[in-house]
Amino acid sequence: MRVEIVCFGSELLLDKVNTNSVAIAEKLAQLGIAVSQVVTVGDHTQDIERALRESLGRSSVVLTCGGLGPTFDDLTRLCVSKVIRRNLVYSKSIHKKILRRFKSVRLPMPAENKIQAYLISGAKEVDNAFGTAPGQIIHWKGKSLILLPGPARECIPMMDRTILPYLKVKYPVAVSKRLILHVYGYPESKIDEMIMPVVRRNWDRDGVKVIFGILAHRSIVDVKVTAQGNATDRIRKTIFQIKSELMETLGDWVYGENDDTLESVIGKMLSTSQQTLALAESCTGGRVSNKLTDIPGSSVYFKEGVITYSNESKIKLLGVKKKTLQKYGAVSENCASEMARGVKDLAKADWGVSVTGIAGPLGGTREKPVGTVCFGVCSKRGVQTEVKNFFGTRTEIKEKSALFALNLLRLELIRQ
Amino acid sequence: MRVEIVCFGSELLLDKVNTNSVAIAEKLAQLGIAVSQVVTVGDHTQDIERALRESLGRSSVVLTCGGLGPTFDDLTRLCVSKVIRRNLVYSKSIHKKILRRFKSVRLPMPAENKIQAYLISGAKEVDNAFGTAPGQIIHWKGKSLILLPGPARECIPMMDRTILPYLKVKYPVAVSKRLILHVYGYPESKIDEMIMPVVRRNWDRDGVKVIFGILAHRSIVDVKVTAQGNATDRIRKTIFQIKSELMETLGDWVYGENDDTLESVIGKMLSTSQQTLALAESCTGGRVSNKLTDIPGSSVYFKEGVITYSNESKIKLLGVKKKTLQKYGAVSENCASEMARGVKDLAKADWGVSVTGIAGPLGGTREKPVGTVCFGVCSKRGVQTEVKNFFGTRTEIKEKSALFALNLLRLELIRQ
């Protein structure tokens, strides 16, 4: 079974990185389905039709992405219709859905959107919970042609809700299970070295094929384990065994698995122990609070955040001492310590976390260059502070600081 | 002249996002060269050879990326040799370079690396300043086949240093200039409808070819205009003319062009007028502040932010009246109004902006469903409030609310 992804969109050939194809491939990997080729072409009828024709010629499953919008450069429907010689058929129920979607946001439906109510003859509609363009599943000469919209927030949920369940039944393949462990703050090569003995021991166990992978993004390293075989219970057992071997090696370095994030793990610990949290951010400018409040239910433990960019506001809101600012400066462990304690008291929370530093590009000095960031975590056990030097652009320094602050809090929560 | 990029690497079909193809395409765009297709295949001889054969069949320039490493799955050299029927030839000088590179990091050269000293017969070596694998430029049947290594830090400098100068001489092409206008808050199809007359009038002007594109991401729609031709001044004039036509049609809907963001545009307005800003966020949890502080130099105008998740903190920090909360609730224009005024006063800023709403997934009611968000913007001219209903996940509602708040502030700043 050969699977290809065809992506449409001139922007993907110019200035938009294609993240969809990998996101779709990762979803397919959950079913043990591998993608053989990704083709990306611009919004030109000739290129689209040729790409479709060739991919359909080579593969049993073709997933397309993009070109289902309402505008003149959304050509997928027309080109598919021409390549597989099937008409486009108007669907009243889809038209109604689109009208409803516009009504719900109190906008009139532009005439252009009506084209989105057309399906390839014989196609199964794939409901789009997050946009107006439905997906389509088409059976053609024993092959499956699946049309998905381009925006990730629309096509990825479709994969989960409709396409994976469909493919699982239509193309039953070897069972496959996947585990991802997330590690914060250590270089990829170090993790690689540490887990190598586990990898070597586990290439193949009892007829279960195990594939290891390491992927670093920013300060986070993901260790990926995929087990494939025929017996579900043996696969489960293998993953379980490998997980405990990896955890033994990596310990607290692992902050979570699969969908966990630093903020979700912290959220779980705070909810479980019924404790609350307050944030005092300077250079991160709200980035830590934003991450923490991305978690559903965070309003239970996230009491308050302040973004104290100026010395004035550090004194006024957090009770940082003028003397501390004069003697050590705003970017100092002393200031971070007073900020963490100050915000904990202000919000009457169990935990106070602070970040103060120089995100740049200006504001650095010889002693405190751009990227110097101080952290504080305050609880009833007192204040813990740290100072770090990060490299990168302003946004990168903000992001690295936010992750460091979250991880510091996580470690303190474990130790409490 | 048709140009294609072919990328090799099984990781690109599984879990590594392909950033090279866009980076290469953007470099080529500097010469006015457009990429027509990107093909990505895994490390399998058959797929690589077919992709090469097809791309060479269709195009006059093919750039490949990856598969020049020293390991068993680096197959590009061998496959190219087979497809274009030319031998691999050992180069003593390249071998020496590789040896020197290993010596400089005090490592012995593994035997595997010797394969990197082989060039396709007749190829021009492309020096690699950041790795061991040289690139290759091959002339074959009037076409150019360019082999580049996979790591971005190696292939992108090669583009700048060798490939672009080579292509510029070999294929002197039309000049090209690009304009992107960013629009907030209107559906793609509506913008499409509005600009259609401008598009129709301007397909072709004085021998300048104009390509229009529309790209929607979240609540933002980008209108892209590319002008190609032979005369630089005529292209400039065309872009200038089209820009004024589009601005006449879209007016204040356009918040910026090219690299502008809502937060950078707001930053410019505040800096220029020497005014300051304070933020009171509830449901956005710091997202608006985070965006605003992503802008270098924002510490000049961003005075303070507070994230008041609880009623308690809205009362304590912002002076929201208990009565207001009891009578209208925290998610009300009344509360948003008091929050905006409160944070303006607290920070002694010129502008106070507030967001209070229900990001979900829990907390919605019949009258105020998930996605109900109230906004306030306070200046010396008084308070302006708005209420909106957004759809989506918690993070999407936060993001949409943040963009809406920024745009509301932008419009008030224009009107002041």
Side-chain angles (χ1 to χ4, degrees):
Chain A
M1 172 181 159
R2 188 183 160 93
V3 178
E4 291 194 21
I5 299 173
V6 187
C7 299
F8 305 120
S10 296
E11 70 281 4
L12 299 171
L13 298 175
L14 186 55
D15 55 15
K16 189 169 187 300
V17 170
N18 184 350
T19 53
N20 279 352
S21 58
V22 163
I24 291 171
E26 290 207 289
K27 296 284 173 195
L28 294 172
Q30 292 172 12
L31 302 185
I33 298 176
V35 173
S36 291
Q37 182 158 338
V38 177
V39 178
T40 308
V41 291
D43 302 311
H44 305 289
T45 309
Q46 214 185 336
D47 285 337
I48 296 173
E49 288 177 6
R50 193 187 25 68
L52 278 170
R53 207 170 283 125
E54 290 177 359
S55 283
L56 282 168
R58 286 187 297 256
S59 313
S60 40
V61 177
V62 174
L63 296 107
T64 75
C65 206
L68 296 180
T71 69
F72 65 90
D73 57 0
D74 289 301
L75 301 162
T76 305
R77 277 173 298 256
L78 282 171
C79 293
V80 168
S81 159
K82 204 167 148 206
V83 167
I84 68 170
R85 293 166 196 234
R86 287 212 200 150
N87 290 333
L88 283 165
V89 182
Y90 168 74
S91 155
K92 193 161 187 177
S93 71
I94 296 175
H95 194 175
K96 275 189 184 160
K97 263 192 215 173
I98 300 172
L99 283 167
R100 265 205 302 279
R101 178 163 282 275
F102 275 95
K103 208 176 161 191
S104 72
V105 291
R106 290 168 200 179
L107 285 170
M109 188 191 94
E112 278 79 357
N113 281 79
K114 196 183 164 187
I115 183 70
Q116 297 187 310
Y118 282 79
L119 293 181
I120 297 289
S121 169
K124 184 181 170 301
E125 175 201 353
V126 181
D127 190 56
N128 184 347
F130 303 98
T132 49
Q136 304 192 30
I137 297 177
I138 301 154
H139 296 283
W140 181 74
K141 298 193 176 177
K143 297 164 192 270
S144 296
L145 172 59
I146 296 165
L147 314 184
L148 299 169
R153 70 180 186 286
E154 299 179 24
C155 73
I156 303 307
M158 279 188 189
M159 286 299 296
D160 286 323
R161 290 174 190 203
T162 314
I163 311 303
L164 291 188
Y166 161 78
L167 290 173
K168 199 170 181 174
V169 173
K170 177 102 182 157
Y171 304 93
V173 283
V175 189
S176 166
K177 204 170 144 54
R178 200 139 190 261
L179 169 76
I180 307 177
L181 296 181
H182 309 291
V183 179
Y184 170 83
Y186 293 88
E188 192 181 4
S189 51
K190 177 78 192 158
I191 307 287
D192 189 45
E193 198 185 309
M194 286 179 76
I195 68 164
M196 211 24 104
V198 183
V199 174
R200 288 222 183 83
R201 270 199 302 278
N202 290 289
W203 289 119
D204 197 319
R205 306 170 58 100
D206 297 333
V208 175
K209 192 183 160 202
V210 183
I211 304 156
F212 286 87
I214 285 192
L215 186 69
H217 42 110
R218 309 217 172 216
S219 325
I220 288 165
V221 175
D222 289 342
V223 177
K224 300 184 179 192
V225 185
T226 310
Q228 290 179 328
N230 294 307
T232 313
D233 55 336
R234 240 186 285 157
I235 288 173
R236 281 232 178 88
K237 221 177 117 189
T238 303
I239 288 277
F240 183 82
Q241 175 63 27
I242 291 173
K243 183 180 163 184
S244 53
E245 288 183 32
L246 287 172
M247 289 303 290
E248 204 168 297
T249 308
L250 298 170
D252 277 354
W253 293 21
V254 174
Y255 68 78
E257 62 183 83
N258 301 332
D259 294 334
D260 289 341
T261 59
L262 279 166
E263 52 271 26
S264 76
V265 167
I266 288 167
K268 262 179 234 159
M269 288 197 271
L270 288 171
S271 308
T272 312
S273 60
Q274 292 186 296
Q275 297 183 88
T276 57
L277 175 66
L279 258 288
E281 300 186 59
S282 185
C283 67
T284 39
R287 203 174 189 96
V288 186
S289 301
N290 182 42
K291 282 179 191 287
L292 285 162
T293 58
D294 274 350
I295 305 303
S298 50
S299 56
V300 172
Y301 51 83
F302 186 91
K303 288 204 76 171
E304 214 165 285
V306 291
I307 299 148
T308 50
Y309 243 45
S310 62
N311 280 352
E312 197 191 330
S313 62
K314 289 184 184 80
I315 296 167
K316 184 185 61 185
L317 287 175
L318 303 173
V320 171
K321 291 184 202 113
K322 248 190 190 154
K323 219 177 115 186
T324 306
L325 292 168
Q326 278 159 1
K327 197 165 171 192
Y328 305 102
V331 181
S332 65
E333 288 184 86
N334 307 63
C335 179
S337 169
E338 293 182 14
M339 284 170 71
R341 189 177 293 280
V343 82
K344 176 180 179 298
D345 292 348
L346 178 72
K348 299 194 187 76
D350 298 306
W351 294 84
V353 174
S354 68
V355 188
T356 177
I358 305 152
L362 299 176
T365 62
R366 229 188 118 123
E367 301 90 60
K368 293 175 188 172
V370 167
T372 308
V373 185
C374 300
F375 302 86
V377 175
C378 181
S379 69
K380 62 180 182 218
R381 298 190 307 140
V383 191
Q384 179 78 20
T385 62
E386 291 262 2
V387 58
K388 291 287 290 181
N389 282 287
F390 297 114
F391 287 85
T393 62
R394 181 179 177 85
T395 325
E396 282 165 5
I397 290 170
K398 284 179 75 184
E399 175 68 10
K400 288 176 185 176
S401 303
L403 293 176
F404 188 87
L406 290 171
N407 195 53
L408 192 66
L409 171 61
R410 179 183 74 90
L411 293 173
E412 289 298 309
L413 278 165
I414 292 174
R415 277 174 209 139
Q416 77 179 327
Chain B
M1 174 180 156
R2 190 184 158 92
V3 179
E4 291 195 22
I5 299 174
V6 187
C7 299
F8 305 121
S10 297
E11 72 281 6
L12 299 171
L13 298 175
L14 186 54
D15 56 13
K16 190 170 184 305
V17 170
N18 185 351
T19 53
N20 280 352
S21 57
V22 163
I24 291 171
E26 290 207 289
K27 296 282 173 198
L28 294 172
Q30 291 171 14
L31 302 185
I33 297 176
V35 173
S36 291
Q37 181 157 341
V38 177
V39 179
T40 307
V41 291
D43 303 311
H44 305 289
T45 309
Q46 214 184 336
D47 285 337
I48 296 173
E49 289 178 5
R50 191 187 27 70
L52 279 169
R53 206 170 285 124
E54 289 177 358
S55 283
L56 282 168
R58 285 188 295 258
S59 313
S60 41
V61 178
V62 175
L63 297 107
T64 75
C65 204
L68 296 178
T71 68
F72 66 91
D73 57 0
D74 289 302
L75 302 163
T76 305
R77 277 173 299 258
L78 282 170
C79 293
V80 169
S81 158
K82 205 169 149 205
V83 168
I84 68 169
R85 294 168 194 236
R86 287 212 199 148
N87 290 332
L88 282 165
V89 183
Y90 168 74
S91 156
K92 192 160 187 177
S93 72
I94 295 175
H95 193 177
K96 274 186 182 162
K97 262 192 218 175
I98 299 172
L99 283 166
R100 268 205 303 279
R101 177 164 283 274
F102 275 97
K103 212 177 160 188
S104 72
V105 290
R106 287 165 202 181
L107 284 170
M109 188 191 92
E112 280 83 358
N113 282 78
K114 198 184 165 186
I115 183 70
Q116 297 186 308
Y118 282 79
L119 293 183
I120 298 288
S121 170
K124 184 180 170 302
E125 174 200 353
V126 180
D127 190 55
N128 183 346
F130 303 97
T132 50
Q136 304 191 31
I137 297 176
I138 302 154
H139 296 283
W140 181 73
K141 297 192 175 176
K143 297 164 191 270
S144 296
L145 172 59
I146 296 166
L147 315 184
L148 299 169
R153 68 180 184 286
E154 300 180 22
C155 72
I156 303 308
M158 279 188 186
M159 286 298 295
D160 285 322
R161 290 173 190 204
T162 313
I163 311 303
L164 290 189
Y166 161 79
L167 290 173
K168 199 170 180 173
V169 173
K170 177 101 181 157
Y171 303 92
V173 281
V175 190
S176 165
K177 203 170 144 55
R178 198 141 191 264
L179 169 75
I180 307 176
L181 295 182
H182 308 292
V183 180
Y184 170 83
Y186 294 88
E188 190 182 6
S189 47
K190 178 74 192 158
I191 307 289
D192 188 47
E193 197 184 309
M194 287 180 75
I195 69 164
M196 209 25 103
V198 183
V199 173
R200 289 221 182 86
R201 269 201 300 280
N202 289 288
W203 289 120
D204 199 318
R205 305 172 56 101
D206 297 335
V208 175
K209 192 185 161 203
V210 183
I211 304 155
F212 287 87
I214 286 193
L215 185 69
H217 42 107
R218 311 224 169 210
S219 326
I220 288 165
V221 175
D222 289 343
V223 177
K224 302 185 177 191
V225 186
T226 310
Q228 289 180 329
N230 295 307
T232 313
D233 55 339
R234 239 186 285 155
I235 288 173
R236 282 232 178 88
K237 223 176 115 190
T238 302
I239 287 276
F240 183 82
Q241 175 63 28
I242 291 173
K243 184 179 161 183
S244 53
E245 287 184 33
L246 287 171
M247 291 303 290
E248 205 169 296
T249 307
L250 299 169
D252 278 354
W253 293 22
V254 174
Y255 68 79
E257 62 182 83
N258 301 331
D259 293 334
D260 289 341
T261 58
L262 279 167
E263 51 270 26
S264 76
V265 167
I266 288 167
K268 262 180 234 157
M269 288 196 270
L270 288 171
S271 307
T272 312
S273 59
Q274 292 187 294
Q275 297 184 87
T276 57
L277 175 67
L279 259 289
E281 301 186 58
S282 184
C283 68
T284 41
R287 202 172 189 98
V288 186
S289 301
N290 182 42
K291 282 180 191 286
L292 285 162
T293 59
D294 274 351
I295 305 303
S298 50
S299 56
V300 172
Y301 52 83
F302 186 91
K303 287 203 78 171
E304 215 165 282
V306 291
I307 300 148
T308 49
Y309 244 44
S310 61
N311 280 352
E312 198 190 328
S313 61
K314 287 184 186 79
I315 296 167
K316 184 185 62 185
L317 288 174
L318 302 174
V320 172
K321 290 183 204 115
K322 247 190 191 152
K323 219 177 116 187
T324 306
L325 293 168
Q326 279 159 359
K327 197 166 169 192
Y328 304 102
V331 181
S332 65
E333 288 184 85
N334 308 63
C335 179
S337 170
E338 294 182 14
M339 285 171 70
R341 190 178 292 280
V343 82
K344 177 181 178 299
D345 293 347
L346 177 73
K348 298 192 188 76
D350 298 306
W351 293 84
V353 174
S354 68
V355 189
T356 178
I358 304 153
L362 299 177
T365 61
R366 229 188 118 122
E367 300 90 62
K368 295 176 187 173
V370 167
T372 308
V373 185
C374 300
F375 301 86
V377 175
C378 182
S379 69
K380 61 181 182 219
R381 298 191 306 141
V383 192
Q384 179 77 20
T385 62
E386 291 261 4
V387 58
K388 290 287 290 179
N389 282 287
F390 298 114
F391 286 83
T393 63
R394 181 179 177 86
T395 325
E396 283 165 4
I397 289 171
K398 285 179 73 184
E399 175 69 8
K400 288 176 184 176
S401 303
L403 293 176
F404 187 87
L406 290 171
N407 195 53
L408 192 65
L409 171 61
R410 178 183 75 88
L411 293 173
E412 290 297 309
L413 278 164
I414 292 174
R415 277 175 210 142
Q416 74 178 332

